Amino acid sequence: MIYMKKELNITNAELKVMNQIWTIGDMVTVPEMVEILNSQGEEWAYQTVATFLKNLEKKGFLSVTKKGKRLCYFPLISQEQYKRNEAEGFLDSTFGGSMVNFLTAFRGSKKIGKKEIQELKAWLDEYDN
């Protein structure tokens, strides 16, 4: 899949929908998506889900095709591509594109334990080779 950097953001609700589409890994109709989302304990209305799918299509994250009388939506990007783009955008906008500045923000934080530091060192060693 080709993925171009998106200037449009996905809302939290749209991301819930996208996460389900990525999990399914196949085309989905509005009624199917409503059923999936509602099975998780939330109340999603048909029109709301239809609007989110249409917005995601307009933003270039989904495409749509007609199957019989129903519209079927499918992703144009993978979840990994989305996460990479979001991470790069966050790094650029918040830390001037500097990974060092990003990691420095965690210095002294209890959020990074010794095990994670070791994993980061191993990752950097692997990246350097």
Side-chain angles (χ1 to χ4, degrees):
M1 279 186 230
I2 297 174
Y3 181 62
M4 292 181 252
K5 194 168 186 171
K6 302 289 178 205
E7 297 301 322
L8 301 170
N9 293 325
I10 294 180
T11 66
N12 288 338
E14 289 170 341
L15 187 55
K16 282 184 179 183
V17 172
M18 282 302 299
N19 282 329
Q20 291 307 314
I21 290 173
W22 287 318
T23 298
I24 294 165
D26 200 3
M27 287 191 247
V28 65
T29 64
V30 175
E32 290 169 338
M33 184 55 63
V34 170
E35 184 178 328
I36 290 165
L37 292 166
N38 285 341
S39 73
Q40 298 177 351
E42 294 185 47
E43 286 295 318
W44 290 72
Y46 180 95
Q47 192 57 47
T48 302
V49 174
T51 299
F52 287 148
L53 290 169
K54 179 65 83 185
N55 289 345
L56 288 163
E57 178 194 3
K58 285 179 185 173
K59 292 178 181 182
F61 292 97
L62 294 178
S63 189
V64 66
T65 188
K66 202 162 189 174
K67 208 173 188 183
K69 293 183 179 185
R70 297 200 181 243
L71 295 176
C72 295
Y73 293 87
F74 57 93
L76 292 176
I77 65 167
S78 71
Q79 189 172 29
E80 292 76 25
Q81 289 169 316
Y82 172 75
K83 287 179 180 179
R84 186 178 314 115
N85 186 61
E86 285 298 299
E88 288 174 0
F90 177 74
L91 190 67
D92 288 345
S93 65
T94 308
F95 296 96
S98 170
M99 183 65 76
V100 172
N101 289 345
F102 172 74
L103 293 172
T104 300
F106 287 99
R107 190 184 340 219
S109 170
K110 296 184 186 211
K111 291 188 183 267
I112 299 182
K114 287 186 179 192
K115 182 180 178 194
E116 286 177 313
I117 291 171
Q118 290 170 345
E119 290 172 356
L120 279 169
K121 285 180 182 179
W123 179 80
L124 287 170
D125 287 342
E126 183 181 311
Y127 188 76
D128 194 32
N129 291 331

